[in-house]
Amino acid sequence: MSGDERDMTQFDSDYIFKNGCFKTPVHFSMKLPKDLVYIQAQRILSQFPVKKRITRNIALIPGKNVLRPVFRFKGVDNFNVSGIKAVSHACMPGNHDYKRLQLLIDIKYDLFYSDGMNRLVQPDNATFDITLNNVYLPDCNIKYYPNAFMDFPAGKTDKGGSAIEVEAMAQGFGEVISPYTGALILDIGVFFLIKFLRHTQLLVPSYGYFPSKSEQ
Amino acid sequence: MSSFTIPYGTKQTDFSTKDAINLHLLSIAHMEAGLAKLMDGEAEEIRLVSDCNPCYDDILNINQSINRVLKNITKLQMLLHFKFDSIRHMSTGSHAPDMSDMTDGAGMFDVTDESVISDVTDESAISGVTDDSVMSGVTDGSVMSNISDTLDVSDTSKMPDESAASYGFYAMPEKTIPISKDVHPDASTSDNNKAGSSISQDAVSQKKKDISIDDLNIHTKCGFQNTEKMPYENQENSDCKAFRYMIQGRGVGTVSNPKDYFYNGIAIVQAFIHDEDTCPADGTCKEKAKIIESNDIWKANNFLYYSVHVNTCMQIITACSSGLKVGRHVHDGADIIMVEGKGEIIHKERFKPDIYEKGSFTLKIWPKQGTFSADSFQMVIKAGRHPEFSHDSGKVSLMGENQSLAVCAR
């Protein structure tokens, strides 16, 4: 049992059935279910598509002992969302269920280039400052933010809190390079899909088998 | 590859021991320069192939071919290293051979001959160079009789740096052959290497002292002879005997001048500058000093690139060849090295055409005390027609562990 499962509210099926808490429709004359099953489901509270561009000033590093490098920029690849932070959140005036959020999203990527002798890769990262208005988050606090996007699908959640999931498509473009010094100006453009999720519990009656029409 | 004529054959009896040693060292330097060209050719080959999107098999074949060539080059370099050790050993005096034997190494000079080196462009030719028949002049005779004393195959730590050599920056023959401490090396070698002339007796006969190992090591302290580590990486080399000024490498930092447009931008200096071949201030060899051909080659290779960029704007200044003046000054009580010159300014801005401009610049470099590394630099650019392209970086502290600007001054 994971930590998240332990945090979920526990119910006693027998108690529910014996005390008549679980009502079946009278006119269907259904039997009581054999069991009650809890299902955890994700609910998307808000979803925002955001386009953002950032200009990076980079100094490419030549290979060791290359005295007279001649840099050629090949491209950018291996994009990865490495971190999401909420810098601030505040209620929108007039409606406390809606918030204004400021997020910092880190994108890591690799620069591929040549110094005239070697093919080189230099990691770099860019931080995008994104402000979102009217984010529907009814009960308040966002308690948990995934450190890395890749970790998130593992299902870590806070205790009934919300989580942010970010999908991103990124590209580098508009490069300006100084071939003899390795000075590089590069634009990183990203299309973000930011989702605010809530993990909810569904209580479902289970009969252990699928009832036939006659039984219903 | 151009080369000057080394006199031999007719006036062998005019040679002194020192002359012969100088000529041997010169032949080593020429060989190294030739090998550097070869490796440069291999680099070009790789570059050419990589641009053609080769398939996997082609890459493997090219790799094997280049491996074979480099192996042969390495063998030859080891021979040269042994030769150098032998000469150094000989120069101490205890094993000094007969003069007539020393000049008997015509085979060595043949190897440094221009036609031989220029012809060595493919693998077969290289293997021909390492062939015993060609190198017999090196291994024959009493000149190399001391090789067995100094031969240590495992001692490869002094092998020259291949990547440096591949750029043609390895050998500095004119700097490697100082006659003695109190004769300026440049002057003496310029005399010795005069094209088509016999060796000046003045330069060699006025000093009766034997050449010490320290003299011969001048080059290795600050030059490129032993480039397992670059000169500035050896902390013990706190002085710079062979070069009056050398600026080499790369410096990266942040523009600190708040009044400049590029404030907080990234400033990068990439330089390879060596001093001109002139005499020291005391004028002891002023008349004899001549810029020899190989030094001209070095000067032709000198360059200084500086770029600064912030946001979507970049400015580059390029200065090459011999138009660079290097000097050592005291600025606010600190020793600095100052490089002045003229160059081409390129102003780049995103989505706009590049603007070209001429301008002058002054680069000040503050060295770290006791090392060959620069601590900080300042670049001031004065643009001609576009004064808005003028730039003052302020004092830029260098950052980045793997990037260092080596400076050497005395």
Side-chain angles (χ1 to χ4, degrees):
Chain A
M1 180 182 283
S2 71
D4 298 327
E5 288 168 339
R6 276 196 300 272
D7 291 337
M8 292 169 70
T9 308
Q10 303 294 312
F11 292 96
D12 185 346
S13 299
D14 287 342
Y15 177 83
I16 293 172
F17 292 141
K18 286 173 185 173
N19 291 282
C21 298
F22 189 85
K23 303 281 187 188
T24 56
V26 179
H27 57 279
F28 278 138
S29 66
M30 284 181 67
K31 293 179 182 177
L32 278 174
K34 189 180 177 183
D35 212 344
L36 291 172
V37 178
Y38 306 104
I39 297 174
Q40 184 178 353
Q42 275 187 352
R43 180 187 171 198
I44 298 174
L45 300 175
S46 303
Q47 183 169 285
F48 295 87
V50 179
K51 261 195 314 188
K52 200 86 176 174
R53 177 177 66 90
I54 198 167
T55 301
R56 295 281 301 141
N57 294 133
I58 300 158
L60 298 177
I61 301 169
K64 201 177 178 185
N65 290 338
V66 177
L67 293 178
R68 190 170 192 161
V70 181
F71 290 94
R72 286 173 66 189
F73 184 67
K74 305 282 185 185
V76 199
D77 206 350
N78 301 338
F79 289 96
N80 188 23
V81 180
S82 61
I84 307 164
K85 288 177 189 171
V87 179
S88 67
H89 61 275
C91 293
M92 296 296 287
N95 192 338
H96 288 274
D97 286 344
Y98 288 86
K99 307 284 192 299
R100 178 200 298 260
L101 278 172
Q102 188 185 1
L103 302 177
L104 290 181
I105 301 177
D106 289 327
I107 302 279
K108 280 187 177 174
Y109 48 88
D110 289 330
L111 305 167
F112 293 86
Y113 62 101
S114 147
D115 64 1
M117 285 289 287
N118 314 294
R119 288 183 175 178
L120 300 166
V121 180
Q122 183 173 321
D124 192 39
N125 68 298
T127 302
F128 291 83
D129 187 347
I130 296 170
T131 302
L132 299 172
N133 292 319
N134 296 321
V135 181
Y136 178 63
L137 287 172
D139 54 357
C140 72
N141 297 325
I142 297 177
K143 297 175 183 173
Y144 170 77
Y145 303 97
N147 287 328
F149 173 54
M150 298 305 291
D151 291 341
F152 180 70
K156 290 178 185 173
T157 66
D158 71 317
K159 211 173 190 177
S162 302
I164 301 172
E165 180 182 318
V166 175
E167 292 176 25
M169 285 181 286
Q171 196 172 6
F173 58 95
E175 66 269 13
V176 177
I177 189 167
S178 164
Y180 300 114
T181 62
L184 175 68
I185 298 172
L186 178 71
D187 271 6
I188 302 293
V190 186
F191 177 74
F192 293 104
L193 194 58
I194 304 170
K195 294 176 186 173
F196 293 87
L197 305 172
R198 173 74 46 85
H199 290 266
T200 56
Q201 284 182 305
L202 304 177
L203 189 60
V204 179
S206 167
Y207 291 87
Y209 62 95
F210 193 82
S212 64
K213 279 188 177 179
S214 59
E215 287 180 274
Q216 291 176 2
Chain B
M1 185 177 143
S2 60
S3 176
F4 48 82
T5 308
I6 297 173
Y8 62 92
T10 55
K11 294 187 177 179
Q12 288 187 6
T13 51
D14 295 335
F15 281 28
S16 67
T17 307
K18 289 173 184 175
D19 296 337
I21 287 171
N22 285 338
L23 288 173
H24 281 303
L25 291 173
L26 196 61
S27 75
I28 293 173
H30 275 264
M31 280 291 285
E32 292 288 359
L35 294 177
K37 286 275 179 190
L38 284 174
M39 282 191 268
D40 201 23
E42 291 303 312
E44 283 295 328
E45 189 179 328
I46 295 170
R47 209 170 297 141
L48 187 68
V49 169
S50 66
D51 286 344
C52 298
N53 294 325
C55 67
Y56 183 69
D57 286 341
D58 288 342
I59 293 171
L60 281 180
N61 288 336
I62 289 290
N63 190 43
Q64 282 176 354
S65 161
I66 287 166
N67 269 344
R68 281 196 297 271
V69 174
L70 287 180
K71 199 181 286 180
N72 285 326
I73 290 173
T74 307
K75 285 176 190 172
L76 195 49
Q77 279 189 324
M78 288 178 74
L79 278 176
L80 291 174
H81 178 64
F82 297 148
K83 184 177 167 185
F84 176 76
D85 273 352
S86 177
I87 293 167
R88 194 170 63 173
H89 190 64
M90 191 167 55
S91 69
T92 57
S94 58
H95 299 278
D98 192 4
M99 193 167 65
S100 59
D101 286 333
M102 286 196 63
T103 54
D104 197 21
M108 279 184 286
F109 300 135
D110 289 343
V111 177
T112 63
D113 191 80
E114 180 185 353
S115 60
V116 174
I117 291 176
S118 59
D119 287 340
V120 181
T121 52
D122 59 9
E123 187 193 344
S124 59
I126 291 167
S127 55
V129 171
T130 56
D131 196 357
D132 290 339
S133 60
V134 177
M135 294 302 293
S136 58
V138 177
T139 53
D140 277 347
S142 58
V143 177
M144 290 296 143
S145 60
N146 294 321
I147 283 182
S148 57
D149 298 336
T150 57
L151 193 144
D152 180 9
V153 178
S154 63
D155 181 18
T156 55
S157 61
K158 292 180 180 177
M159 290 295 288
D161 183 69
E162 290 186 2
S163 58
S166 67
Y167 275 88
F169 295 151
Y170 167 61
M172 291 196 68
E174 78 283 5
K175 301 288 185 186
T176 62
I177 316 166
I179 290 242
S180 65
K181 278 180 178 173
D182 38 6
V183 174
H184 191 268
D186 298 334
S188 59
T189 51
S190 62
D191 280 338
N192 289 337
N193 301 328
K194 206 181 294 179
S197 66
S198 61
I199 294 173
S200 164
Q201 292 300 304
D202 296 336
V204 292
S205 61
Q206 63 181 334
K207 300 298 169 188
K208 298 297 182 186
K209 287 184 287 184
D210 287 335
I211 300 172
S212 68
I213 289 178
D214 284 341
D215 286 326
L216 289 171
N217 277 344
I218 283 174
H219 178 73
T220 66
K221 285 213 169 190
C222 196
F224 300 88
Q225 195 80 2
N226 297 333
T227 47
E228 184 190 27
K229 278 190 168 186
M230 296 299 283
Y232 53 87
E233 291 176 323
N234 292 322
Q235 295 297 319
E236 66 272 18
N237 296 337
S238 57
D239 60 350
C240 175
K241 292 178 181 175
F243 302 102
R244 279 163 300 152
Y245 306 109
M246 181 191 78
I247 301 164
Q248 174 186 301
R250 178 179 172 84
V252 182
T254 306
V255 175
S256 64
N257 180 9
K259 293 178 182 174
D260 194 80
Y261 173 80
F262 292 99
Y263 177 54
N264 276 337
I266 299 175
I268 306 172
V269 169
Q270 185 87 42
F272 184 88
I273 302 169
H274 289 250
D275 62 325
E276 290 182 4
D277 188 19
T278 54
C279 283
D282 59 9
T284 49
C285 56
K286 219 167 206 172
E287 291 180 5
K288 294 172 188 172
K290 290 186 179 176
I291 298 170
I292 58 173
E293 183 183 9
S294 49
N295 195 38
D296 285 341
I297 293 169
W298 279 107
K299 285 170 65 181
N301 281 325
N302 280 354
F303 64 82
L304 186 140
Y305 300 117
Y306 172 80
S307 73
V308 59
H309 64 301
V310 70
N311 299 327
T312 60
C313 196
M314 182 187 291
Q315 196 157 303
I316 304 164
I317 187 158
T318 305
C320 295
S321 192
S322 56
L324 301 170
K325 277 170 61 181
V326 185
R328 186 174 177 178
H329 302 270
V330 176
H331 182 76
D332 291 340
D335 260 357
I336 63 166
I337 295 167
M338 191 181 287
V339 185
E340 292 173 297
K342 291 180 180 175
E344 186 176 52
I345 300 168
I346 306 168
H347 186 84
K348 287 173 178 272
E349 197 159 357
R350 178 88 54 81
F351 309 127
K352 289 183 181 175
D354 294 349
I355 302 171
Y356 293 85
E357 164 74 297
K358 300 276 184 191
S360 61
F361 69 88
T362 305
L363 174 66
K364 295 175 187 171
I365 301 173
W366 285 262
K368 282 179 194 169
Q369 280 198 340
T371 69
F372 284 133
S373 299
D375 179 60
S376 53
F377 69 85
Q378 180 181 9
M379 174 63 93
V380 179
I381 298 172
K382 287 181 181 173
R385 288 170 299 167
H386 297 86
E388 67 270 20
F389 293 163
S390 295
H391 163 71
D392 182 356
S393 67
K395 199 169 180 180
V396 177
S397 297
L398 299 187
M399 58 186 186
E401 290 179 359
N402 298 326
Q403 305 177 81
S404 60
L405 188 62
V407 290
C408 185
R410 67 182 167 89

